[in-house]
Amino acid sequence: MPRRKNQGQDENADETTTTGEERDYTVRAVERVCSILNLLQNSIDGVSLIEVGQATELPKSSAFRYLWTLEAHRYVERDEHTGLYRLGLGFVGMQSRHLEVLRERARPWLEELRDEFEETTNLGILDGDHVIYVDIVESRHKVRSAAARGERDPLHSTALGKAIASQLPDARVRDLLQRTGMERHSDNTITSIDAYMDELAKVRRLGYALDNGENAPDGRCIAAPLLGTHLPAAVSISAPAARFTLKAVEKAAKRLLDVADQLTTNPVTDQQLNETTV
């Protein structure tokens, strides 16, 4: 028999009601969580606490508790500068529309970089505790450095990983590194969390990250974070170390930073998202 909600019972408790022979197994708290997530998914710029309260018909204090709980589980994140809420890293999969728009915008730039430097270019995103390759434009050289689209690589030993990690809170980075460990892939691989944090400070200062034979002994890669996308993403150029010298890296880094800036100067709009079919 359905349990009645006692007067004064917490509003978040499960509710089951019956009307005649029809039963409603709806859980009001879950419905509100779904409403919040749907609201966030449909906005690229984020939503305010007031908007969340209106969408869920909750008072401001209750809406805040829902958001605080979701944030604690990484399903929601709050922009410290604007105070707006958006989907967190726990729902990268739910951000597929944002990601598809970004991939489409990045593709011509990746091709241009490939043609200019004749090396492989990549678009990557943080997926859980690893970097996943979202798009790749391969070098035309017979000997080249190239992953496969959808392939995952470590955060600690790749330029893409460093570039993305440089935009995350330090506590979050340490948590990711402790969870995955820092496996040594070559003599150059950074295997200390403190040393890695020092490396991120350098990345933030320069604006780009370098994998100097750390993920593969004979490879070299540079990456720049995409700062205005609301996604933990970066673009990179990768090549065999023998061909991609440190002098060549300096020249490529300037161009890569310019491309990253071009990609994030005009942020994706809600209209673009609505026009994109995934």
Side-chain angles (χ1 to χ4, degrees):
M1 181 176 181
R3 182 179 61 185
R4 289 185 178 275
K5 180 180 178 183
N6 296 329
Q7 186 175 5
Q9 184 178 343
D10 180 36
E11 65 174 340
N12 298 336
D14 293 357
E15 290 186 4
T16 307
T17 60
T18 58
T19 303
E21 295 182 358
E22 296 181 358
R23 293 186 178 182
D24 182 2
Y25 294 103
T26 300
V27 180
R28 183 175 297 179
V30 176
E31 277 193 324
R32 285 167 172 165
V33 168
C34 291
S35 296
I36 292 172
L37 296 178
N38 287 335
L39 179 66
L40 297 179
Q41 186 183 12
N42 290 327
S43 175
I44 186 65
D45 297 319
V47 297
S48 68
L49 176 60
I50 293 176
E51 290 174 309
V52 172
Q54 291 173 342
T56 56
E57 299 182 349
L58 283 171
K60 189 175 179 179
S61 59
S62 297
F64 175 78
R65 289 200 299 272
Y66 274 83
L67 289 167
W68 187 92
T69 302
L70 289 167
E71 186 178 2
H73 290 277
R74 298 176 52 242
Y75 294 132
V76 166
E77 65 180 23
R78 180 179 180 274
D79 190 308
E80 295 180 358
H81 300 291
T82 65
L84 299 179
Y85 293 87
R86 55 177 179 260
L87 292 178
L89 298 181
F91 273 129
V92 168
M94 291 184 66
Q95 298 188 29
S96 58
R97 286 192 299 163
H98 304 68
L99 188 55
E100 185 63 19
V101 170
L102 176 61
R103 189 190 68 80
E104 291 182 359
R105 293 184 59 199
R107 182 74 185 190
W109 291 104
L110 294 178
E111 293 175 345
E112 185 173 313
L113 283 172
R114 188 274 311 277
D115 294 341
E116 183 175 348
F117 295 98
E118 299 183 339
E119 303 296 356
T120 299
T121 56
N122 314 279
L123 170 66
I125 188 171
L126 182 66
D127 180 31
D129 49 24
H130 279 69
V131 173
I132 187 170
Y133 291 87
V134 175
D135 204 2
I136 298 169
V137 180
E138 291 194 22
S139 167
R140 295 189 176 95
H141 288 294
K142 290 184 178 179
V143 178
R144 57 184 179 267
S145 295
R149 184 176 176 182
E151 186 174 331
R152 291 159 60 87
D153 258 344
L155 191 72
H156 71 285
S157 59
T158 58
L160 282 172
K162 291 180 186 179
I164 292 171
S166 71
Q167 302 306 308
L168 300 177
D170 285 355
R172 176 69 183 139
V173 176
R174 289 179 178 275
D175 177 65
L176 289 171
L177 296 177
Q178 289 173 352
R179 183 190 309 171
T180 61
M182 303 179 71
E183 182 181 352
R184 182 179 296 279
H185 300 288
S186 75
D187 292 340
N188 291 343
T189 305
I190 299 174
T191 58
S192 160
I193 291 181
D194 288 339
Y196 188 81
M197 301 310 294
D198 290 340
E199 178 77 1
L200 291 190
K202 181 179 178 181
V203 173
R204 292 171 183 133
R205 185 172 69 252
L206 295 176
Y208 69 91
L210 171 65
D211 160 17
N212 190 20
E214 298 163 48
N215 200 50
D218 58 351
R220 188 168 282 137
C221 182
I222 55 171
L226 300 181
L227 303 179
T229 62
H230 299 317
L231 289 170
V235 289
S236 72
I237 303 173
S238 56
R243 196 166 61 228
F244 200 29
T245 65
L246 290 177
K247 185 175 181 180
V249 162
E250 293 181 7
K251 177 183 177 182
K254 294 179 182 179
R255 183 72 177 109
L256 187 65
L257 288 171
D258 178 61
V259 167
D261 183 62
Q262 292 293 328
L263 277 169
T264 56
T265 296
N266 301 309
V268 178
T269 65
D270 286 343
Q271 181 179 357
Q272 287 176 296
L273 290 176
N274 293 332
E275 292 173 351
T276 301
T277 301
V278 179

